[in-house]
Amino acid sequence: MQARYDVHDPATLERVGSAPLHGAEDVDCAVARAVGAGPGWAADRGRRREALGGGAEALRSRAGEIGRTLSLEQGKVLREAVGEVLVAADVFDYYAALEWEEQERLPERQGREVLVQRRPVGVVAAITPWNFPISLLSVKLAPALAAGCTVIAKPSPTTPLSTIALVDAVAQFVPPGVVQWLTGRREVNRALSEHHKVRKISFTGSTEVGAAIAAQAAPTVKRVTLELGGNDPAIVLPDADAQFTAAGIVGSAFRNAGQVCMAVKRVFVPAEREAELVEAIAAEAGRLVVGRGVDQGTTMGPMHSRSQRELVEGLVRDAVESGARIASGGGRGTELPGYFLEPTVVTGAAFEAPLVATEQFGAALPIVAYTDLDDLVGRLNGQEFGLGASVWTPDLDKAQALAERLEVGTVWINQHTQVELDAPFGGWKASGIGRERGIYGLDPYLELRTVNAREHSTSTPTAAPAAASAG
């Protein structure tokens, strides 16, 4: 009998359900099924389009059900959880309609015909985290299916139930073995990463785990896409409107209790406006209502685990002990027994303080004053992460000029956390390898092949010029 483990609500600590505890043998079986289903699936692009469209419709029809499951197991606000499922449906529709060439003919040369073909990479393992298990799976699963790959989805151990629901909703439109799910712990991740018949890993999560997965995948020389950590700064310029800026920053920083890779993690404000902006941001954060995600009126749920809350609280405590102060929050905000932390705004922390310099990934937001913008940009560019950043000013020319100087994958202007279906998303430096979304998110699931042909004749073929030899 298959072993199972329980999944709990981080707001109430109650049992939500259970999932199979899969292991390496289950990985072998799933990979064998995926390999067997591959050729037929890769050969029928029309069927792939229909399946993606059907998957989108199924997700929309089940958005309320899957969203509630997601809210219960992850903790996020129900409205946001349902929205995440609807976003996934949009992603499926986008890749169903996306036009791309499976083959192109290069200009003829010296009697040779040269074709460049795009073919599916093969079996894909999509390994996703607990903070956005549905939307982050969709940007892997939909383009992989569009490309003709078969996919094994492996969610975080703490949020498996919504992923199971998503995969099952899509699987009804594809042949057996094309889309599968496996649940369990890191043993499954390792087995997928090391399996010689898994040809691509697409992983979203921490930099530490991503580096380990890349190392495990290296001996079999499989492709790896890594969407990793971030410590996104919001840079407020002296002419920014305080209320507009505060609303935008708080909306990003405390979304999903701050557990968003691309959320505002720290705010840099002009020293001459520090008091005004701290007051505005603290007031905006104070309007959030902490509670269980599925309860009416809640606008911010719990943190996902005890360890994550303890980490963030420790960073806040360290900052305060070093001279910073809490401008708002710091308590629990509710009598519920779960992993709650009020939206906490901290001012006066040093640039080097761990709360500022590391990715805290939770419901705390440090605000740091700056006096020299050029120095600030240089220090930010010198740090390890490069996922995103935002610039806040009514002067768009000034904002665009600053955006050019920031070493990150996405720069937002007067907003933060907005992503587009057709624009690439990913990070520089330790924030990742590769891109997702748009045509840019399809390419990693395709292999290029060159077919170079000349006419057959009885004459002796001429050798290729030395300069054209590849090795």
Side-chain angles (χ1 to χ4, degrees), residues 98 180 216 267 287 354 431 434:
L98 183 65
Q180 303 171 75
Q216 293 159 12
V267 185
R287 296 187 180 96
S431 287

Side-chain angles (χ1 to χ4, degrees), residues 70 76-85 255-256 299:
L70 173 58
K76 65 180 59 185
V77 174
L78 179 59
R79 172 180 50 81
E80 296 177 3
V82 173
E84 188 173 336
V85 181
R255 180 186 177 196
N256 197 25
T299 56

